[in-house]
Amino acid sequence: MTPFLPFALPDIGEEEINEVVDSLRSGWLTTGPKTKRFEEDFAVFAGEGSEAIAVNSATAGLHLALEASGIGAGDEVITTPYTFTATAEVVRYLGADPVFVDIDPATFNIDPAKIEAAITPRTRAIIPVHFAGLSCAMDEILRIARKNGLKVIEDAAHALPTTCKGRLIGSLDSDATVYSFYATKTITTGEGGMIITRNPEVARRCRVMRLHGISRDSFDRYTSTKPAWRYEVVAPGFKYNMTDLAASLGIHQLKKASVFQIKRQAMAACYDDAFRSLPMVLPPKAPLGDMHAWHLYVIRLTDKAPVTRDRFIELMAEKGVGCSVHFIPLHLHPYWRDRYELKPEDFPQSLRAYERAVSLPLYTRMSEADQLTVINAVREILS
Ligand SMILES: *Cc1c(COP(=O)(O)O)cnc(C)c1O
Protein backbone atom coordinates (compact mmCIF):
# COMPACT_ATOMS: atom_id res chain seq x y z
CA MET A 1 0.00 0.00 0.00
CA THR A 2 1.52 3.31 -1.09
CA PRO A 3 1.30 6.17 1.40
CA PHE A 4 -1.52 8.71 1.04
CA LEU A 5 -0.66 11.61 -1.25
CA PRO A 6 -1.94 14.76 0.45
CA PHE A 7 -3.75 17.45 -1.53
CA ALA A 8 -1.05 20.04 -0.77
CA LEU A 9 2.35 20.29 0.92
CA PRO A 10 4.68 23.28 1.39
CA ASP A 11 8.12 23.26 -0.27
CA ILE A 12 10.55 24.42 2.45
CA GLY A 13 14.30 24.14 1.88
CA GLU A 14 17.38 24.42 4.06
CA GLU A 15 17.67 28.15 3.18
CA GLU A 16 14.31 28.84 4.85
CA ILE A 17 15.16 26.67 7.86
CA ASN A 18 18.55 28.34 8.35
CA GLU A 19 17.00 31.81 8.04
CA VAL A 20 14.40 31.00 10.71
CA VAL A 21 17.13 29.62 12.99
CA ASP A 22 19.14 32.78 12.38
CA SER A 23 16.15 34.86 13.53
CA LEU A 24 15.65 32.66 16.59
CA ARG A 25 19.29 33.12 17.57
CA SER A 26 19.23 36.86 16.83
CA GLY A 27 16.80 37.67 19.61
CA TRP A 28 14.44 39.49 17.22
CA LEU A 29 11.28 37.44 16.63
CA THR A 30 8.54 39.90 15.73
CA THR A 31 8.42 42.50 12.93
CA GLY A 32 12.01 43.57 12.36
CA PRO A 33 14.92 43.35 9.93
CA LYS A 34 13.73 40.20 8.13
CA THR A 35 10.27 41.63 7.55
CA LYS A 36 11.85 44.82 6.22
CA ARG A 37 14.03 42.79 3.85
CA PHE A 38 11.07 40.69 2.68
CA GLU A 39 9.09 43.89 1.98
CA GLU A 40 12.01 45.41 0.07
CA ASP A 41 12.47 42.26 -2.01
CA PHE A 42 8.74 42.07 -2.69
CA ALA A 43 8.58 45.71 -3.78
CA VAL A 44 11.37 44.98 -6.29
CA PHE A 45 9.43 41.92 -7.51
CA ALA A 46 6.22 44.00 -7.92
CA GLY A 47 8.14 46.63 -9.88
CA GLU A 48 8.63 50.36 -10.25
CA GLY A 49 6.90 52.60 -7.73
CA SER A 50 5.38 49.86 -5.62
CA GLU A 51 5.31 49.68 -1.85
CA ALA A 52 5.02 46.35 -0.04
CA ILE A 53 3.39 46.03 3.38
CA ALA A 54 3.78 42.65 5.09
CA VAL A 55 0.90 41.38 7.21
CA ASN A 56 0.00 38.16 9.01
CA SER A 57 -2.55 36.98 6.40
CA ALA A 58 -4.14 37.94 3.11
CA THR A 59 -7.37 38.37 5.03
CA ALA A 60 -5.67 41.07 7.11
CA GLY A 61 -4.22 42.58 3.93
CA LEU A 62 -7.59 42.77 2.19
CA HIS A 63 -9.14 44.30 5.31
CA LEU A 64 -6.40 46.96 5.56
CA ALA A 65 -6.47 47.73 1.82
CA LEU A 66 -10.24 48.28 1.89
CA GLU A 67 -10.02 50.37 5.07
CA ALA A 68 -7.24 52.48 3.58
CA SER A 69 -9.33 52.92 0.43
CA GLY A 70 -12.07 54.51 2.51
CA ILE A 71 -14.60 51.65 2.44
CA GLY A 72 -16.99 51.93 5.36
CA ALA A 73 -20.48 51.32 6.73
CA GLY A 74 -23.22 51.28 4.12
CA ASP A 75 -20.88 50.93 1.15
CA GLU A 76 -21.10 48.13 -1.39
CA VAL A 77 -18.16 46.16 -2.77
CA ILE A 78 -18.51 43.98 -5.85
CA THR A 79 -16.87 40.57 -5.85
CA THR A 80 -17.48 36.99 -6.92
CA PRO A 81 -19.22 34.22 -4.96
CA TYR A 82 -16.61 31.82 -6.41
CA THR A 83 -13.97 32.54 -3.77
CA PHE A 84 -12.90 31.86 -0.21
CA THR A 85 -15.05 33.56 2.41
CA ALA A 86 -12.16 35.87 3.42
CA THR A 87 -12.65 37.94 0.24
CA ALA A 88 -16.15 38.93 1.32
CA GLU A 89 -15.88 38.77 5.12
CA VAL A 90 -13.45 41.70 5.20
CA VAL A 91 -16.13 43.82 3.55
CA ARG A 92 -18.44 42.96 6.46
CA TYR A 93 -15.69 43.84 8.99
CA LEU A 94 -16.05 47.43 7.74
CA GLY A 95 -19.84 47.42 7.93
CA ALA A 96 -20.09 47.37 4.13
CA ASP A 97 -21.92 44.79 2.00
CA PRO A 98 -20.45 42.53 -0.67
CA VAL A 99 -22.47 42.37 -3.88
CA PHE A 100 -21.84 39.14 -5.75
CA VAL A 101 -21.41 38.94 -9.51
CA ASP A 102 -21.39 35.55 -11.25
CA ILE A 103 -18.33 34.05 -12.94
CA ASP A 104 -17.34 33.48 -16.53
CA PRO A 105 -17.76 29.68 -16.82
CA ALA A 106 -14.63 29.41 -18.98
CA THR A 107 -12.27 30.85 -16.36
CA PHE A 108 -14.15 30.81 -13.00
CA ASN A 109 -13.22 34.50 -12.73
CA ILE A 110 -15.71 37.34 -12.22
CA ASP A 111 -17.59 38.01 -15.49
CA PRO A 112 -16.82 41.65 -16.39
CA ALA A 113 -19.90 41.78 -18.62
CA LYS A 114 -22.08 41.39 -15.50
CA ILE A 115 -20.34 43.99 -13.30
CA GLU A 116 -22.03 47.18 -14.47
CA ALA A 117 -25.53 45.83 -13.78
CA ALA A 118 -24.48 45.32 -10.14
CA ILE A 119 -23.27 48.91 -9.62
CA THR A 120 -25.52 51.11 -7.43
CA PRO A 121 -25.02 54.59 -5.94
CA ARG A 122 -23.51 52.81 -2.89
CA THR A 123 -20.85 50.86 -4.82
CA ARG A 124 -17.29 51.88 -3.88
CA ALA A 125 -14.98 49.07 -4.98
CA ILE A 126 -14.44 45.85 -6.91
CA ILE A 127 -12.43 42.89 -5.58
CA PRO A 128 -11.47 40.64 -8.51
CA VAL A 129 -10.13 37.21 -7.52
CA HIS A 130 -7.58 35.65 -9.89
CA PHE A 131 -8.98 32.15 -9.52
CA ALA A 132 -6.44 29.30 -9.46
CA GLY A 133 -3.75 31.75 -10.61
CA LEU A 134 -5.29 32.82 -13.94
CA SER A 135 -5.67 36.57 -14.30
CA CYS A 136 -9.11 38.18 -14.37
CA ALA A 137 -9.98 40.40 -17.35
CA MET A 138 -8.21 43.32 -15.69
CA ASP A 139 -8.40 45.74 -18.66
CA GLU A 140 -12.17 45.60 -18.60
CA ILE A 141 -12.43 45.63 -14.80
CA LEU A 142 -10.13 48.66 -14.50
CA ARG A 143 -12.02 50.43 -17.30
CA ILE A 144 -15.38 49.86 -15.57
CA ALA A 145 -13.90 50.95 -12.23
CA ARG A 146 -12.48 54.18 -13.67
CA LYS A 147 -15.69 55.01 -15.50
CA ASN A 148 -17.69 54.58 -12.27
CA GLY A 149 -15.19 56.02 -9.78
CA LEU A 150 -14.60 52.67 -8.02
CA LYS A 151 -11.50 51.36 -6.25
CA VAL A 152 -10.00 48.04 -7.33
CA ILE A 153 -8.43 45.77 -4.69
CA GLU A 154 -7.09 42.58 -6.29
CA ASP A 155 -7.35 39.34 -4.33
CA ALA A 156 -4.12 37.81 -5.62
CA ALA A 157 -4.06 34.96 -3.08
CA HIS A 158 -3.64 32.50 -5.98
CA ALA A 159 -1.71 34.74 -8.34
CA LEU A 160 1.98 34.58 -7.54
CA PRO A 161 3.32 34.86 -10.15
CA THR A 162 0.63 35.65 -12.74
CA THR A 163 0.67 38.04 -15.69
CA CYS A 164 -2.12 39.90 -17.48
CA LYS A 165 -1.33 41.00 -21.05
CA GLY A 166 2.36 40.65 -20.24
CA ARG A 167 2.22 42.66 -17.01
CA LEU A 168 2.75 41.07 -13.63
CA ILE A 169 -0.24 41.01 -11.28
CA GLY A 170 0.91 43.44 -8.60
CA SER A 171 2.14 45.94 -11.20
CA LEU A 172 -1.25 46.93 -12.68
CA ASP A 173 -3.14 50.18 -12.10
CA SER A 174 -5.37 48.87 -9.31
CA ASP A 175 -5.44 50.52 -5.88
CA ALA A 176 -3.92 47.53 -4.11
CA THR A 177 -3.02 43.89 -4.70
CA VAL A 178 -3.02 41.39 -1.85
CA TYR A 179 -1.10 38.10 -1.77
CA SER A 180 -1.47 35.15 0.61
CA PHE A 181 1.36 33.08 2.04
CA TYR A 182 -0.93 30.53 3.69
CA ALA A 183 0.61 27.06 3.95
CA THR A 184 -0.98 25.76 0.71
CA LYS A 185 -0.32 28.80 -1.50
CA THR A 186 2.34 29.00 -4.22
CA ILE A 187 4.82 30.51 -1.76
CA THR A 188 4.32 30.31 1.99
CA THR A 189 5.34 31.81 5.31
CA GLY A 190 3.06 29.43 7.26
CA GLU A 191 0.60 32.27 7.65
CA GLY A 192 1.18 35.63 6.02
CA GLY A 193 0.22 38.12 3.38
CA MET A 194 1.51 41.13 1.44
CA ILE A 195 -0.19 44.31 0.29
CA ILE A 196 1.21 45.97 -2.83
CA THR A 197 0.17 49.51 -3.65
CA ARG A 198 1.45 52.45 -5.66
CA ASN A 199 -0.64 54.91 -3.68
CA PRO A 200 1.57 56.38 -0.89
CA GLU A 201 -1.50 57.36 1.18
CA VAL A 202 -2.88 53.80 1.06
CA ALA A 203 0.56 52.46 1.99
CA ARG A 204 0.92 54.86 4.92
CA ARG A 205 -2.54 54.05 6.27
CA CYS A 206 -1.97 50.27 5.95
CA ARG A 207 1.34 50.57 7.84
CA VAL A 208 -0.28 52.47 10.69
CA MET A 209 -3.39 50.28 10.90
CA ARG A 210 -1.53 46.96 10.78
CA LEU A 211 -0.04 47.74 14.21
CA HIS A 212 -2.64 49.21 16.55
CA GLY A 213 -2.86 52.56 14.77
CA ILE A 214 0.56 53.44 16.14
CA SER A 215 2.38 56.09 14.16
CA ARG A 216 5.80 54.38 14.45
CA ASP A 217 6.35 50.64 14.18
CA SER A 218 8.26 48.87 16.93
CA PHE A 219 11.29 48.12 14.76
CA ASP A 220 11.58 51.79 13.91
CA ARG A 221 11.16 52.65 17.58
CA TYR A 222 13.95 50.32 18.64
CA THR A 223 16.38 51.28 15.92
CA SER A 224 15.82 55.00 15.44
CA THR A 225 17.73 57.57 17.46
CA LYS A 226 14.55 59.23 18.70
CA PRO A 227 13.39 58.08 22.17
CA ALA A 228 12.18 54.46 21.88
CA TRP A 229 9.32 54.79 24.32
CA ARG A 230 7.53 57.67 22.60
CA TYR A 231 4.77 56.87 20.13
CA GLU A 232 1.33 58.11 19.23
CA VAL A 233 -1.88 56.18 18.67
CA VAL A 234 -3.74 57.87 15.84
CA ALA A 235 -6.53 55.32 15.22
CA PRO A 236 -7.99 52.09 16.68
CA GLY A 237 -5.81 49.86 14.52
CA PHE A 238 -5.36 46.12 14.26
CA LYS A 239 -2.74 43.49 15.20
CA TYR A 240 -1.85 42.39 11.69
CA ASN A 241 1.96 42.66 11.57
CA MET A 242 4.15 39.89 10.16
CA THR A 243 6.74 38.22 12.42
CA ASP A 244 10.39 37.96 11.41
CA LEU A 245 10.07 34.17 11.71
CA ALA A 246 7.46 34.22 8.93
CA ALA A 247 9.43 36.76 6.88
CA SER A 248 12.49 34.48 7.13
CA LEU A 249 10.54 31.89 5.15
CA GLY A 250 9.19 34.52 2.76
CA ILE A 251 12.60 35.91 1.77
CA HIS A 252 13.65 32.54 0.35
CA GLN A 253 10.24 31.46 -0.92
CA LEU A 254 10.00 34.64 -3.02
CA LYS A 255 13.39 33.87 -4.61
CA LYS A 256 12.03 30.47 -5.64
CA ALA A 257 8.67 31.74 -6.95
CA SER A 258 9.73 31.66 -10.58
CA VAL A 259 11.25 28.15 -10.37
CA PHE A 260 8.13 26.94 -8.55
CA GLN A 261 5.90 28.42 -11.28
CA ILE A 262 7.88 26.70 -14.04
CA LYS A 263 7.52 23.37 -12.24
CA ARG A 264 3.79 23.84 -11.59
CA GLN A 265 3.22 24.82 -15.22
CA ALA A 266 5.03 21.69 -16.44
CA MET A 267 2.98 19.55 -14.07
CA ALA A 268 -0.25 21.15 -15.30
CA ALA A 269 0.77 20.42 -18.91
CA CYS A 270 1.50 16.82 -17.94
CA TYR A 271 -2.01 16.46 -16.44
CA ASP A 272 -3.52 18.05 -19.57
CA ASP A 273 -1.83 15.50 -21.81
CA ALA A 274 -2.89 12.60 -19.63
CA PHE A 275 -6.54 13.64 -19.31
CA ARG A 276 -7.34 14.88 -22.81
CA SER A 277 -9.64 12.01 -23.80
CA LEU A 278 -11.42 11.67 -20.44
CA PRO A 279 -14.94 12.98 -19.65
CA MET A 280 -13.80 16.26 -18.12
CA VAL A 281 -13.21 19.88 -19.02
CA LEU A 282 -9.55 20.72 -18.54
CA PRO A 283 -8.60 23.92 -16.70
CA PRO A 284 -8.35 27.04 -18.89
CA LYS A 285 -4.89 28.12 -20.07
CA ALA A 286 -3.44 31.61 -19.82
CA PRO A 287 -3.60 33.51 -23.13
CA LEU A 288 -0.51 33.09 -25.30
CA GLY A 289 2.46 34.89 -23.74
CA ASP A 290 0.85 35.15 -20.31
CA MET A 291 1.72 33.34 -17.11
CA HIS A 292 -0.66 31.24 -15.00
CA ALA A 293 0.50 30.71 -11.40
CA TRP A 294 -1.15 27.26 -11.32
CA HIS A 295 -1.96 27.50 -7.62
CA LEU A 296 -4.79 25.07 -8.38
CA TYR A 297 -5.45 22.50 -11.10
CA VAL A 298 -9.26 22.31 -11.24
CA ILE A 299 -10.97 19.84 -13.56
CA ARG A 300 -14.70 19.74 -14.24
CA LEU A 301 -16.39 16.37 -14.72
CA THR A 302 -18.83 16.28 -17.65
CA ASP A 303 -22.22 14.50 -17.94
CA LYS A 304 -20.39 11.57 -19.50
CA ALA A 305 -18.36 10.90 -16.34
CA PRO A 306 -19.33 7.48 -14.88
CA VAL A 307 -19.39 8.83 -11.30
CA THR A 308 -20.60 11.95 -9.50
CA ARG A 309 -18.11 14.55 -8.32
CA ASP A 310 -18.53 13.52 -4.67
CA ARG A 311 -18.05 9.84 -5.51
CA PHE A 312 -15.02 10.70 -7.63
CA ILE A 313 -13.34 12.36 -4.63
CA GLU A 314 -14.19 9.34 -2.41
CA LEU A 315 -12.70 6.93 -4.94
CA MET A 316 -9.57 9.09 -5.31
CA ALA A 317 -9.14 8.97 -1.51
CA GLU A 318 -9.53 5.18 -1.61
CA LYS A 319 -6.73 5.14 -4.18
CA GLY A 320 -4.57 7.20 -1.83
CA VAL A 321 -4.95 10.63 -3.42
CA GLY A 322 -6.23 13.70 -1.58
CA CYS A 323 -8.44 16.04 -3.64
CA SER A 324 -10.33 19.21 -2.77
CA VAL A 325 -13.05 21.49 -4.11
CA HIS A 326 -12.50 25.16 -4.87
CA PHE A 327 -14.82 26.67 -3.99
CA ILE A 328 -18.13 26.06 -2.27
CA PRO A 329 -19.60 29.33 -3.60
CA LEU A 330 -20.30 31.86 -0.87
CA HIS A 331 -24.02 32.10 -1.64
CA LEU A 332 -24.45 28.43 -0.62
CA HIS A 333 -23.01 29.04 2.87
CA PRO A 334 -25.59 29.75 5.61
CA TYR A 335 -24.23 33.15 6.62
CA TRP A 336 -24.09 34.67 3.14
CA ARG A 337 -27.24 32.87 1.96
CA ASP A 338 -29.34 34.03 4.89
CA ARG A 339 -27.99 37.53 5.27
CA TYR A 340 -28.51 38.44 1.62
CA GLU A 341 -31.43 36.03 0.94
CA LEU A 342 -29.54 34.32 -1.85
CA LYS A 343 -30.75 31.25 -3.74
CA PRO A 344 -28.47 28.67 -5.40
CA GLU A 345 -29.76 29.68 -8.87
CA ASP A 346 -28.93 33.37 -8.29
CA PHE A 347 -25.41 32.57 -9.55
CA PRO A 348 -25.97 29.71 -12.00
CA GLN A 349 -22.43 29.63 -13.39
CA SER A 350 -20.88 29.46 -9.92
CA LEU A 351 -23.34 26.74 -8.93
CA ARG A 352 -22.64 24.68 -12.05
CA ALA A 353 -18.87 25.11 -11.72
CA TYR A 354 -18.97 24.05 -8.07
CA GLU A 355 -21.08 20.94 -8.72
CA ARG A 356 -18.54 19.52 -11.17
CA ALA A 357 -15.22 20.89 -9.91
CA VAL A 358 -12.40 18.83 -8.42
CA SER A 359 -9.00 20.24 -7.47
CA LEU A 360 -6.24 17.68 -8.02
CA PRO A 361 -2.94 17.76 -6.10
CA LEU A 362 -0.43 20.07 -7.80
CA TYR A 363 2.61 21.16 -5.82
CA THR A 364 6.33 21.34 -6.31
CA ARG A 365 7.18 18.62 -3.80
CA MET A 366 5.26 16.03 -5.85
CA SER A 367 7.56 13.64 -7.68
CA GLU A 368 6.93 12.28 -11.17
CA ALA A 369 5.83 9.06 -9.50
CA ASP A 370 3.36 11.01 -7.33
CA GLN A 371 1.89 12.64 -10.40
CA LEU A 372 1.63 9.28 -12.13
CA THR A 373 -0.27 7.95 -9.10
CA VAL A 374 -2.79 10.76 -9.52
CA ILE A 375 -3.04 10.24 -13.29
CA ASN A 376 -3.58 6.50 -12.97
CA ALA A 377 -6.21 6.95 -10.27
CA VAL A 378 -8.12 9.50 -12.38
CA ARG A 379 -7.93 7.26 -15.47
CA GLU A 380 -9.14 4.18 -13.59
CA ILE A 381 -12.13 6.04 -12.20
CA LEU A 382 -13.15 7.90 -15.35
CA SER A 383 -12.46 5.45 -18.18
C1 LIG B 1 -6.29 31.72 0.81
C2 LIG B 1 -7.20 32.78 0.29
C3 LIG B 1 -7.45 33.97 1.00
C4 LIG B 1 -7.01 34.17 2.42
O1 LIG B 1 -5.67 34.07 2.61
P1 LIG B 1 -5.08 34.03 4.11
O2 LIG B 1 -3.64 34.37 3.93
O3 LIG B 1 -5.30 32.63 4.61
O4 LIG B 1 -5.82 35.03 4.92
C5 LIG B 1 -8.17 34.95 0.39
N1 LIG B 1 -8.68 34.79 -0.85
C6 LIG B 1 -8.51 33.65 -1.53
C7 LIG B 1 -9.09 33.55 -2.91
C8 LIG B 1 -7.79 32.60 -0.98
O5 LIG B 1 -7.65 31.45 -1.66
Side-chain angles (χ1 to χ4, degrees):
M1 178 75 195
T2 45
F4 192 82
L5 182 74
F7 172 67
L9 277 178
D11 194 340
I12 301 296
E14 288 305 311
E15 303 85 348
E16 284 88 334
I17 293 168
N18 292 337
E19 198 71 51
V20 171
V21 171
D22 179 71
S23 284
L24 290 172
R25 293 194 199 286
S26 78
W28 197 281
L29 304 184
T30 184
T31 314
K34 300 285 175 73
T35 305
K36 195 158 190 283
R37 200 167 114 207
F38 185 33
E39 288 181 333
E40 285 165 0
D41 292 354
F42 213 98
V44 169
F45 162 81
E48 202 62 34
S50 67
E51 286 194 62
I53 301 113
V55 285
N56 58 11
S57 71
T59 308
L62 289 164
H63 183 196
L64 291 179
L66 287 174
E67 199 271 346
S69 300
I71 310 306
D75 292 342
E76 289 178 355
V77 176
I78 290 174
T79 192
T80 158
Y82 213 76
T83 186
F84 185 56
T85 194
T87 314
E89 88 192 20
V90 294
V91 175
R92 296 292 305 129
Y93 290 180
L94 294 161
D97 295 303
V99 172
F100 299 117
V101 168
D102 210 359
I103 53 170
D104 173 346
T107 62
F108 294 47
N109 282 332
I110 191 167
D111 185 345
K114 297 204 173 91
I115 292 176
E116 289 204 279
I119 295 174
T120 76
R122 291 167 57 198
T123 310
R124 296 286 174 270
I126 305 172
I127 311 179
V129 180
H130 305 296
F131 181 83
L134 178 65
S135 175
C136 291
M138 290 308 294
D139 283 0
E140 282 167 86
I141 291 167
L142 288 165
R143 184 185 55 74
I144 293 164
R146 256 182 233 118
K147 191 174 132 197
N148 293 279
L150 309 177
K151 308 281 185 187
V152 176
I153 315 293
E154 295 172 73
D155 181 338
H158 300 183
L160 195 142
T162 292
T163 65
C164 176
K165 305 239 166 110
R167 291 171 71 193
L168 194 72
I169 293 299
S171 75
L172 307 184
D173 306 319
S174 58
D175 295 272
T177 304
V178 181
Y179 295 93
S180 172
F181 312 130
Y182 181 67
T184 61
K185 300 285 158 74
T186 55
I187 76 167
T188 185
T189 62
E191 299 279 1
M194 191 72 78
I195 305 164
I196 292 292
T197 180
R198 283 170 178 69
N199 180 330
E201 269 310 297
V202 168
R204 195 197 51 79
R205 180 71 180 177
C206 287
R207 282 189 210 286
V208 168
M209 294 305 280
R210 81 171 156 184
L211 197 70
H212 303 297
I214 288 172
S215 59
R216 291 172 75 189
D217 67 36
S218 61
F219 184 60
D220 174 60
R221 287 199 281 127
Y222 285 96
T223 53
S224 116
T225 51
K226 289 182 206 144
W229 56 269
R230 192 181 290 284
Y231 62 88
E232 285 183 313
V233 173
V234 295
F238 307 99
K239 185 68 202 285
Y240 282 168
N241 56 305
M242 178 178 276
T243 67
D244 263 23
L245 299 179
S248 296
L249 298 172
I251 288 164
H252 295 282
Q253 289 274 293
L254 181 62
K255 288 197 182 100
K256 299 175 183 179
S258 166
V259 172
F260 284 171
Q261 189 278 336
I262 290 166
K263 178 146 191 221
R264 297 180 95 98
Q265 181 175 291
M267 292 174 77
C270 176
Y271 275 151
D272 283 353
D273 286 341
F275 299 152
R276 226 171 280 285
S277 59
L278 297 179
M280 66 167 76
V281 179
L282 296 174
K285 311 291 163 291
L288 201 66
D290 266 325
M291 193 185 289
H292 188 317
W294 290 110
H295 165 53
L296 299 173
Y297 187 89
V298 180
I299 60 167
R300 271 169 283 177
L301 303 184
T302 66
D303 289 338
K304 295 201 176 67
V307 292
T308 64
R309 188 274 309 273
D310 292 4
R311 185 70 189 136
F312 176 86
I313 293 175
E314 277 170 19
L315 290 169
M316 287 294 282
E318 281 171 22
K319 290 175 185 296
V321 178
C323 293
S324 192
V325 173
H326 296 86
F327 285 101
I328 302 169
L330 297 187
H331 72 293
L332 302 184
H333 289 286
Y335 172 72
W336 300 109
R337 179 192 66 206
D338 297 345
R339 175 164 176 94
Y340 296 105
E341 298 179 1
L342 302 172
K343 291 185 270 317
E345 320 80 60
D346 287 350
F347 306 100
Q349 302 300 349
S350 295
L351 181 65
R352 209 155 304 151
Y354 158 67
E355 285 172 342
R356 291 158 180 282
V358 182
S359 304
L360 298 178
L362 179 84
Y363 48 97
T364 53
R365 265 181 65 188
M366 281 173 71
S367 65
E368 276 180 42
D370 290 336
Q371 207 182 2
L372 205 58
T373 302
V374 180
I375 288 169
N376 289 336
V378 171
R379 280 192 176 141
E380 281 166 27
I381 296 167
L382 290 184
S383 50

